[in-house]
Amino acid sequence: MSPSIPAFLFAAVVLVAAAAGVVSAQETDPNNIITLTEWNTILMTESSADYGAYDKPAPLPTTLQESIWSVATLWQWQYNQIDRTSTLGEGYNFAPYAVCSSVPGLSGAERFEAIAELLRAAAIAEGTVLFAGDSLYNDADRTCRAISAETATFKAVIDSQPEDVLQYLQVQPLLSSMKQIEGTFQGIMDAMAAVDCAEDDRCEEEGGGGTATVTVGTFGGRGRALQSTEISLVVILTPIVLHFTRTGELTYQEVINEMMGFATGRGGLNVAEASYYDFQAQNQGVTTDRMEFYSNVIQNVTSLTAADGSNACLDVVLPNDVKIARMGTNETVAVRVETIDRNDLTQPQLDDCIWYLVYSLSLHPYVQVMDVEADVIIFPPPDGGETSASPSAVSSAFGLLLALAMSSFLSSLPF
């Protein structure tokens, strides 16, 4: 098997190699992580695209994709354990992980209980707690759950267990791409695509009128005829949020405020420092097209900061044009961005601002998974209560929720 997980303790060595543009599968393929190929069998997300599967002029070799993925995983472990709390405070010491067990001869419920027993013991020893969420995957050979816990808890288990236990255990921090359901990126691109006003009544209804061709953000080359931008997302929250809201430690509005505060705080440095993609790009490391895209978005948004510290994206557009609300009784929130005739930013800058929001959500520890939704209606707070959202959604978003619900049900079935 590949080198053991304590290699995570030497992430600094890997970071130096990554910053220098050196990515070696031998150095960065530690035991117990979920590989990119394996993850694609668990949940179809934007991970393949982010790690070079569709790069131009040619896709990156699979071995290189896996190597970049491994280095990104090492970086995320380091960030979760040290950098996140040192920058954002102790409230951010819980991070979401995908934890898989492949112990043969057990049902999904039995595998999960075996995982939980190991983690609970480690959490007690570390003086902390852990929170398990939905089943991500369950079949005859493997069971995977989303779990929020301190990174030290996972490390303690991996450091203390014998090889005959670890060979059936995988622990993977949820990378930003793992949180975006496949099609999310293209769905947003489509919402920013050209509209022929002669064929589309929305131009007249929404006041766009005529035809205006602009360059769309840093990805470039796309045109838009409308003067408005509307993006809707469905976001499923991590298990730690369920704990906070059920115990009364946080309201949903406070959770939403924290998510937005992460995006807008410190002139964008919260997001920049949480991004492996931006780390690699700024240190001339190995990158993919998608990694460079998001790094450019971050750099473009942070460069909007004026001499007085103001930033039109972070201080004006996101606080005023983004609405986030809980969807019914689900542990899910709807995110809607609607910008119309913004004079604060050029169209490319506005597009970067929207992409920055999307990426910041995927980096936040409260977010487990997200998908594009066609139409989310945000209702005003009833009698001063918390804002709510219509749970009506297109098939992709509801399909995601249904899939997770079915996955939870299937996890209880014996195999």
Side-chain angles (χ1 to χ4, degrees):
M1 302 185 72
S2 52
S4 63
I5 202 73
F8 285 133
L9 299 176
F10 305 102
V13 175
V14 177
L15 296 183
V16 171
V22 177
V23 180
S24 166
Q26 184 177 6
E27 294 172 337
T28 62
D29 185 23
N31 205 5
N32 301 103
I33 74 168
I34 300 173
T35 67
L36 175 59
T37 301
E38 289 172 327
W39 176 250
N40 286 336
T41 68
I42 294 171
L43 193 63
M44 293 304 296
T45 64
E46 291 287 343
S47 293
S48 286
D50 276 29
Y51 287 89
Y54 308 114
D55 275 19
K56 303 296 184 183
L60 297 185
T62 301
T63 53
L64 182 55
Q65 293 178 43
E66 290 285 4
S67 295
I68 299 173
W69 169 274
S70 295
V71 175
T73 298
L74 294 173
W75 190 94
Q76 195 66 50
W77 274 82
Q78 169 83 4
Y79 178 78
N80 287 351
Q81 186 169 4
I82 300 174
D83 299 330
R84 187 195 303 277
T85 54
S86 64
T87 301
L88 301 175
E90 290 301 319
Y92 282 84
N93 55 355
F94 287 88
Y97 287 77
V99 182
C100 297
S101 171
S102 57
V103 178
L106 298 182
S107 68
E110 290 169 335
R111 286 199 198 103
F112 174 69
E113 184 53 38
I115 293 173
E117 184 177 349
L118 289 175
L119 292 174
R120 278 194 295 263
I124 292 172
E126 293 288 325
T128 183
V129 290
L130 59 94
F131 306 96
D134 292 316
S135 173
L136 295 173
Y137 181 83
N138 192 44
D139 69 4
D141 300 319
R142 178 189 292 158
T143 299
C144 301
R145 286 282 186 119
I147 296 179
S148 290
E150 294 187 26
T151 301
T153 299
F154 297 112
K155 176 183 172 298
V157 168
I158 293 169
D159 284 351
S160 64
Q161 295 303 310
E163 180 61 27
D164 61 346
V165 173
L166 294 180
Q167 66 178 319
Y168 300 116
L169 178 66
Q170 292 173 295
V171 180
Q172 173 72 29
L174 289 185
L175 308 177
S176 59
S177 64
M178 298 169 69
K179 299 179 182 183
Q180 297 183 15
I181 291 298
E182 185 178 45
T184 299
F185 189 92
Q186 187 61 51
I188 296 171
M189 289 295 292
D190 289 345
M192 295 180 172
V195 176
D196 183 352
C197 290
E199 302 292 332
D200 196 311
D201 293 334
R202 288 179 299 167
C203 293
E204 181 177 353
E205 292 174 3
E206 297 180 17
T211 300
T213 301
V214 296
T215 300
V216 177
T218 53
F219 217 67
R222 305 294 294 270
R224 183 184 297 126
L226 297 180
Q227 297 295 319
S228 66
T229 299
E230 297 181 14
I231 304 293
S232 298
L233 300 169
V234 177
V235 178
I236 297 177
L237 303 174
T238 55
I240 188 65
V241 175
L242 313 189
H243 167 77
F244 285 154
T245 54
R246 288 171 180 170
T247 60
E249 294 180 53
L250 290 175
T251 66
Y252 268 91
Q253 190 57 53
E254 289 171 331
V255 169
I256 290 168
N257 291 344
E258 285 196 19
M259 292 166 64
M260 288 303 297
F262 170 77
T264 60
R266 301 173 64 227
L269 288 181
N270 289 342
V271 174
E273 292 175 357
S275 170
Y276 171 70
Y277 299 171
D278 195 53
F279 171 86
Q280 282 290 84
Q282 298 311 305
N283 287 282
Q284 291 76 53
V286 175
T287 58
T288 66
D289 290 353
R290 188 71 64 82
M291 291 167 69
E292 292 178 5
F293 169 75
Y294 280 123
S295 177
N296 287 338
V297 164
I298 291 173
Q299 294 302 312
N300 289 346
V301 168
T302 56
S303 69
L304 295 173
T305 303
D308 62 1
S310 63
N311 185 301
C313 171
L314 305 180
D315 301 335
V316 180
V317 175
L318 296 189
N320 292 289
D321 294 348
V322 177
K323 301 293 184 284
I324 305 180
R326 186 182 183 190
M327 294 184 69
T329 58
N330 295 319
E331 308 302 349
T332 308
V333 295
V335 180
R336 183 173 178 83
V337 185
E338 184 172 0
T339 61
I340 301 177
D341 295 329
R342 270 283 173 206
N343 295 321
D344 313 274
L345 301 171
T346 66
Q347 193 65 61
Q349 290 172 336
L350 181 59
D351 292 332
D352 281 332
C353 188
I354 294 172
W355 279 113
Y356 172 91
L357 170 69
V358 172
Y359 187 49
S360 74
L361 290 173
S362 69
L363 291 171
H364 200 282
Y366 289 171
V367 172
Q368 178 176 316
V369 68
M370 59 197 293
D371 194 7
V372 174
E373 186 178 20
D375 188 20
V376 177
I377 302 172
I378 304 291
F379 294 110
D383 301 324
E386 291 192 81
T387 303
S388 61
S390 166
S392 62
V394 296
S395 59
S396 64
F398 264 126
L400 168 64
L401 299 176
L402 178 61
L404 289 174
M406 286 299 295
S407 183
S408 295
F409 168 72
L410 291 172
S411 68
S412 64
L413 299 178
F415 287 100

